[in-house]
Amino acid sequence: MLDTTEYDEDLIMFRDTIRRMVEKDVAPIAAKIDQEDDMPHSLVPIFGDLGLIQIMVPEEYGGPGGTLTMACIAKEEVSRASFAVSHLVGATSIAMALPLTHYGTDAQRQKYLPEIAEGRTLTCIGLTEPQTGSDVSGIKTTAKRDGDDYVINGQKVFITKADQAKYILLFARTSEGKGHDGISSFIVPMDSPGVKIGGSPKKMGLRGIKNCDLFFENVRVPAENLVGEEGQGFKNAMGVLNLNRPTVGAASVGIAQGALDAAMAYAKEREQFGQPIGNFQLVQAMLADMAIQIEAARALLYKVAAFIDRDPTHPQVPMYSSMIKTFASDMAMKVTTDAVQVFGGAGYLQDHPVERYMRDAKVCQIYEGTNQIQRLIIARAMLKG
Amino acid sequence: MKVLVPVKRVIDYNVKAKVKSDGSGVDLANVKMSMNPFDEIAVEEAIRLKEAGKAEEVVAVSIGVKQAQETLRTALAMGADRAILVVAADDVHTDIEPLAVAKILKAIVDEEQPKLVIAGKQAIDNDMNATGQMLAALLGWGQATFASELDIDGDAATVTREVDGGLQTIKVGLPAIVTADLRLNEPRYASLPNIMKAKKKPLDEKTAADYGVDVAPRLEVVKTAEPPVRSAGIKVESVDELVSKLKEKGVV
């Protein structure tokens, strides 16, 4: 494959290191994680020691000070074997490292980032509610000021890795503002009295990562846990998600590459009519199309990542961030579907990894903002000029 | 105590080696290269000695083409303190023979005065298994090869060696050369923060001429050949047939 990132020596070493780790520690258990819908906790210290969980924590707080490009390299490499495990890469980015770096107070950064920098703490982000998906303004969870505290009541759903998280960045209404106004974000320790973790639904893919229901009943947090200004929660959340969304594109590229790797191996090995199916032109065309699409997505991915690393406040960040997320996840859906096709009947069995890649690819079109919402963001940014 | 670790840039162990059409060697053009796996074990052991407070400084050395500095950066990212690159060839296909490497290493040892040299037992490209031993001879130091366990206590090293059919434990006075076998340890991954730090660590660049060593080859490669392709097996219909076939072959 092309080295699209104009990789420097450090990035190559970083990628090679992750590739080796994945080969040894992730690939052998990827299928089991999916089948048992359970990811071993022993992966946390491995990813933490490599600096991957805390990748975005700045150096001044003891973190690796990684870039979005690095996060994307890591996510791509891990997703190539296991999409579920790739969620350990940057597992504290959107709930801690990015919001505190961009919107937090010095005191908050001092308090939380050194702990996060150790690479042993997982966090989660609580936006989605039963009535709130693409329409974040529908948030019904409330945070009412009471003396020096806020008291939080409400319910969240689909909260990724809530079962393993020590902290949640929770979004709640602090006032009855119109639309997005009046939403604020809080750091809530998951062991706070009144926080209850509910069940986690069985999913089509992304198995091994739990997406939990969460209940908040009179959960009290000190006012100092408010991240950013009151009422600015939605705006800040979008700012942070824009900076991280390309990593969904990176995971998509990794999933697609993993599926192509498997399809290539199968095409060389599987024989029909006395010869490997890779000799047949219709199979060759599928393999070529898969590779073309992956390379195109990867090229855009690292172009966008480099752009955001250079100027994270550029007004076109949201547009390009949405572009790569949409393009790469649509690509992954198509490529993984074709990979199953190359395998034929065998691809429909769980004996081979391609059906898992196909199930995993689907959620990349849905989560971190559906591809429909992304297209609206892109078109509106274009029309606004 | 200072520990010196020689590392070699070799064809990556995952790459399927292809012989050049003229049979002069393995084609290395545009092939992924990495640190010799046994050297990686040596680097790991040296870093562990440092972490255990038994060594103060770990110096990595590589002798070869300029690109070997990538190999040294890996050693630095793993935890070595500084590195010395000795450029002794321009062409990636030029292999510096063990004696020349040992002579250059001797010159570096004279300069750096380490109390311990930990080297990989052999490089996976040519499988010479000679550099460590030659260096010990040139220096007049003790040597403990094929180490699967290393313990430093004061002025001596206790080394468990993997020998045919078992283990041998020896004690060798320092300074000494230890060569690392596969089971000595499991090398760590270079973490992202350490990769970032590695580029700030010193990497000195020298040439073979700086040490007055003639690196001209003394050996001539006559032929390089791919391993023979395994011929297809046959299927037998019954256990009886299997047994008779095995008898025919004289296996049972």
Side-chain angles (χ1 to χ4, degrees):
Chain A
M1 69 189 77
L2 290 171
D3 251 352
T4 50
T5 62
E6 292 126 54
Y7 283 139
D8 64 19
E9 216 179 276
D10 292 341
L11 293 182
I12 293 171
M13 198 195 297
F14 178 60
R15 185 196 56 195
D16 288 353
T17 305
I18 294 169
R19 202 169 274 180
R20 279 176 70 177
M21 180 274 289
V22 167
E23 204 176 285
K24 179 165 159 283
D25 298 315
V26 181
I29 55 172
K32 188 165 174 265
I33 289 171
D34 175 68
Q35 277 153 17
E36 296 175 3
D37 196 5
D38 192 27
M39 185 166 76
H41 197 74
S42 55
L43 288 170
V44 169
I46 295 173
F47 278 66
D49 285 347
L50 275 168
L52 298 180
I53 291 173
Q54 69 277 38
I55 189 160
M56 293 286 205
V57 176
E59 276 174 281
E60 53 187 307
Y61 300 100
T67 59
L68 178 61
T69 299
M70 291 173 183
C72 287
I73 290 171
K75 244 194 155 148
E76 182 192 337
E77 289 300 328
V78 181
S79 298
R80 199 168 163 178
S82 167
F83 177 54
V85 177
S86 83
H87 286 71
L88 288 178
V89 176
T92 52
S93 294
I94 54 175
M96 277 283 180
L98 290 171
L100 291 193
T101 305
H102 292 280
Y103 309 109
T105 62
D106 259 345
Q108 286 168 340
R109 286 192 277 268
Q110 297 290 355
K111 181 166 177 191
Y112 297 104
L113 292 185
E115 179 189 346
I116 301 295
E118 301 279 324
R120 293 293 184 277
T121 306
L122 299 185
T123 58
C124 60
I125 179 165
L127 264 171
T128 308
E129 297 187 1
Q131 311 300 328
T132 312
S134 296
D135 180 12
V136 178
S137 65
I139 283 182
K140 292 199 167 57
T141 297
T142 57
K144 293 222 164 69
R145 185 82 192 220
D146 180 34
D148 288 338
D149 297 336
Y150 283 91
V151 178
I152 298 168
N153 281 287
Q155 184 192 347
K156 296 283 171 185
V157 292
F158 289 156
I159 305 308
T160 307
K161 357 178 222 50
D163 58 323
Q164 307 227 17
K166 184 168 175 192
Y167 304 104
I168 182 170
L169 184 71
L170 184 73
F171 290 80
R173 262 194 188 287
T174 40
S175 69
E176 288 299 326
K178 262 211 302 207
H180 303 138
D181 290 346
I183 294 168
S184 305
S185 60
F186 299 89
I187 294 171
V188 181
M190 290 293 285
D191 61 358
S192 306
V195 178
K196 222 175 80 192
I197 302 176
S200 75
K202 279 197 174 158
K203 300 192 297 291
M204 171 184 180
L206 186 46
R207 290 164 55 81
I209 294 289
K210 302 278 192 281
N211 291 70
C212 306
D213 295 338
L214 285 180
F215 303 93
F216 298 84
E217 204 183 323
N218 292 321
V219 177
R220 212 166 250 283
V221 293
E224 66 196 34
N225 285 24
L226 173 72
V227 179
E229 285 170 44
E230 218 187 78
Q232 296 296 303
F234 175 76
K235 215 180 103 220
N236 295 351
M238 291 307 118
V240 161
L241 291 175
N242 288 336
L243 294 174
N244 194 63
R245 191 169 290 118
T247 65
V248 180
S252 305
V253 172
I255 291 171
Q257 184 67 53
L260 176 58
D261 294 343
M264 284 287 293
Y266 194 75
K268 285 185 200 166
E269 170 201 304
R270 167 76 173 168
E271 291 196 0
Q272 288 288 279
F273 307 104
Q275 53 186 312
I277 60 168
N279 284 0
F280 300 120
Q281 291 185 345
L282 290 175
V283 173
Q284 289 175 357
M286 271 202 277
L287 294 173
D289 279 337
M290 290 160 82
I292 293 167
Q293 294 171 78
I294 292 170
E295 293 290 355
R298 188 180 285 121
L300 179 62
L301 170 67
Y302 289 106
K303 199 86 193 159
V304 171
F307 166 69
I308 296 179
D309 281 331
R310 232 179 0 253
D311 188 359
T313 59
H314 193 288
Q316 287 187 318
V317 164
M319 181 179 80
Y320 284 115
S321 179
S322 294
M323 276 188 190
I324 182 54
K325 190 271 185 188
T326 306
F327 184 70
S329 56
D330 286 351
M331 176 281 294
M333 196 65 245
K334 182 158 188 331
V335 166
T336 54
T337 306
D338 285 348
V340 172
Q341 197 68 23
V342 169
F343 272 73
Y348 204 65
L349 306 180
Q350 301 208 335
D351 297 353
H352 295 284
V354 280
E355 60 84 31
R356 166 166 58 89
Y357 288 118
M358 184 175 162
R359 288 185 283 110
D360 283 344
K362 185 63 211 173
V363 82
C364 294
Q365 295 181 304
I366 298 172
Y367 81 165
E368 292 231 11
T370 63
N371 284 5
Q372 284 69 31
I373 287 283
Q374 305 306 330
R375 287 185 164 88
L376 294 184
I377 293 170
I378 296 161
R380 285 170 188 171
M382 287 163 61
L383 291 166
K384 221 166 68 182
Chain B
M1 178 174 86
K2 189 192 281 186
V3 184
L4 192 78
V5 187
V7 296
K8 184 176 184 185
R9 180 176 185 268
V10 298
I11 187 167
D12 188 87
Y13 64 96
N14 279 317
V15 174
K16 195 180 173 301
K18 285 200 183 101
V19 173
K20 284 197 282 187
S21 52
D22 63 1
S24 63
V26 169
D27 191 357
L28 297 177
N30 298 316
V31 168
K32 183 171 165 46
M33 306 292 282
S34 301
M35 191 191 300
N36 174 37
F38 292 110
D39 299 348
E40 221 174 304
I41 295 169
V43 173
E44 174 67 32
E45 196 64 17
I47 298 165
R48 287 187 189 185
L49 286 176
K50 191 182 168 189
E51 285 169 349
K54 292 184 174 174
E56 281 85 47
E57 193 184 26
V58 176
V59 182
V61 184
S62 193
I63 298 159
V65 288
K66 186 149 176 114
Q67 293 92 314
Q69 67 161 276
E70 291 160 19
T71 314
L72 288 170
R73 288 279 172 217
T74 305
L76 294 171
M78 286 175 73
D81 297 292
R82 61 190 173 86
I84 303 168
L85 170 66
V86 183
V87 179
D90 299 324
D91 179 2
V92 291
H93 292 97
T94 310
D95 193 52
I96 314 296
E97 288 171 7
L99 184 59
V101 171
K103 284 177 180 171
I104 294 171
L105 287 175
K106 180 189 180 294
I108 293 173
V109 167
D110 288 344
E111 217 170 83
E112 294 281 342
Q113 298 287 318
K115 269 181 89 179
L116 183 65
V117 175
I118 310 180
K121 69 166 180 178
Q122 69 197 65
I124 61 164
D125 48 5
N126 284 342
D127 282 340
M128 291 282 196
N129 184 0
T131 305
Q133 292 89 330
M134 286 178 170
L135 178 60
L138 291 175
L139 286 165
W141 287 9
Q143 57 176 307
T145 51
F146 314 128
S148 64
E149 231 180 295
L150 167 65
D151 188 35
I152 303 288
D153 191 11
D155 265 342
T158 306
V159 180
T160 302
R161 304 179 61 235
E162 299 205 343
V163 292
D164 276 351
L167 299 173
Q168 179 195 47
T169 302
I170 60 168
K171 201 167 180 179
V172 53
L174 299 181
I177 316 277
V178 173
T179 72
D181 212 326
L182 190 64
R183 279 157 287 272
L184 183 58
N185 59 51
E186 206 175 305
R188 70 194 61 194
Y189 304 121
S191 73
L192 177 54
N194 287 338
I195 291 172
M196 307 295 279
K197 276 180 213 150
K199 66 178 154 199
K200 290 169 200 152
K201 291 180 178 176
L203 193 158
D204 284 340
E205 198 181 312
K206 307 268 193 182
T207 64
D210 291 340
Y211 299 101
V213 175
D214 173 15
V215 296
R218 283 151 169 76
L219 305 173
E220 188 193 340
V221 176
V222 180
K223 193 181 158 198
T224 312
E226 307 248 0
V229 181
R230 264 181 70 183
S231 51
I234 54 160
K235 277 189 181 159
V236 292
E237 296 294 331
S238 65
V239 175
D240 288 344
E241 195 190 340
L242 173 68
V243 172
S244 73
K245 290 267 182 207
L246 289 173
K247 275 185 181 156
E248 257 171 54
K249 297 245 172 210
V251 186
V252 288

